[in-house]
Amino acid sequence: FRRRSPRPSRRAVLHLRDLTSSFAPADMARWYNERGFHFYVTDLSGHGGGDARHRGRPGKGAFAALDSACRHLRENDGIDAIILSAQDSAATIAAYWCDARRADHPVDALILTSPDFGRTARDSLDIDCPVLVIVVDQPLVGRPRRARRGADAIRLGQHVTWLHLDPADADHAARAADRRRLFDEMGRWLGAYMYGQVRDRLL
């Protein structure tokens, strides 16, 4: 899937999904397009990415699929700057791939939404690009749920920003306000890193 920005641009977002996560929200694709990013979605479910959180480190098939996707963006579509975006179990693949490929600098930034690192939480990675981790706190419905392992327990690199969001309630206006806050914070983070004002802090 590809949704091109109406602006002339050599920047793109590559969003990872697998069968355990939902498709990229349409408002997110529009948000990036309006800021001059082409938006791509690639499916890792056929490359050993569907149950990576249960097996530990992702397999070579998922890494090869990511290598191929980034190569296609650069060689076929003329993309110079890539932001890699991933959610849930796909975040594990993205993080380990960035660590394994750090010498090649394959992407310019990494955004992980609701990452679930599972048993890999004790690992320490060395991701050299800026990382934004968006953690959506789980509401307590019925019995209390344990927080996802790996959120604050895993070390990802030197330039990591954590954004904690409260879950949206049932009110439509509140959900819309939450989305606006998410995009506002993402915009500030992108501006800081894409234009050289490095900052590492909790949003």
Side-chain angles (χ1 to χ4, degrees):
F1 171 82
R2 178 183 67 183
R3 179 169 176 166
R4 298 190 65 85
S5 171
R7 300 182 185 182
S9 178
R10 298 174 71 88
R11 301 185 300 180
V13 173
L14 176 61
H15 182 76
L16 306 185
R17 71 177 296 268
D18 57 41
L19 294 179
T20 66
S21 60
S22 61
F23 203 73
D27 61 344
M28 179 177 292
R30 286 195 303 270
W31 187 85
Y32 279 114
N33 287 162
E34 290 168 358
R35 283 150 185 81
F37 289 88
H38 304 305
F39 193 86
Y40 295 75
V41 177
T42 188
D43 191 342
L44 294 179
S45 59
H47 302 280
D51 60 349
R53 58 182 168 178
H54 301 299
R55 297 196 322 269
R57 296 176 182 239
K60 294 181 180 179
F63 283 10
L66 263 172
D67 291 338
S68 177
C70 286
R71 187 165 54 249
H72 176 85
L73 264 62
R74 296 188 187 280
E75 297 179 0
N76 292 71
D77 289 1
I79 300 299
D80 289 334
I82 299 174
I83 295 176
L84 181 60
S85 169
Q87 183 173 346
D88 296 323
S89 60
T92 306
I93 299 169
Y96 273 100
W97 178 77
C98 285
D99 173 71
R101 301 291 190 264
R102 61 185 175 274
D104 300 325
H105 307 289
V107 296
D108 297 88
L110 174 63
I111 298 178
L112 307 177
T113 303
S114 300
D116 190 356
F117 291 102
R119 293 178 303 179
T120 67
R122 290 172 293 180
D123 288 342
S124 179
L125 305 183
D126 185 13
I127 300 173
D128 65 345
C129 68
V131 182
L132 174 63
V133 184
I134 302 169
V135 179
V136 181
D137 296 325
Q138 297 293 331
L140 297 179
V141 179
R143 292 186 301 176
R145 291 182 58 181
R146 291 185 300 174
R148 284 184 173 183
R149 294 184 59 203
D152 296 330
I154 188 168
R155 176 175 171 79
L156 299 174
Q158 295 184 350
H159 303 296
V160 181
T161 301
W162 296 86
L163 171 59
H164 288 264
L165 298 175
D166 294 326
D169 57 33
D171 182 73
H172 175 76
R175 290 198 301 268
D178 285 347
R179 293 297 284 178
R180 286 195 298 271
R181 185 199 166 200
L182 170 63
F183 290 137
D184 286 346
E185 297 292 4
M186 285 176 55
R188 278 192 278 272
W189 181 83
L190 281 174
Y193 277 112
M194 298 299 285
Y195 303 109
Q197 301 173 11
V198 175
R199 62 168 193 171
D200 298 320
R201 68 181 186 87
L202 292 172
L203 292 178

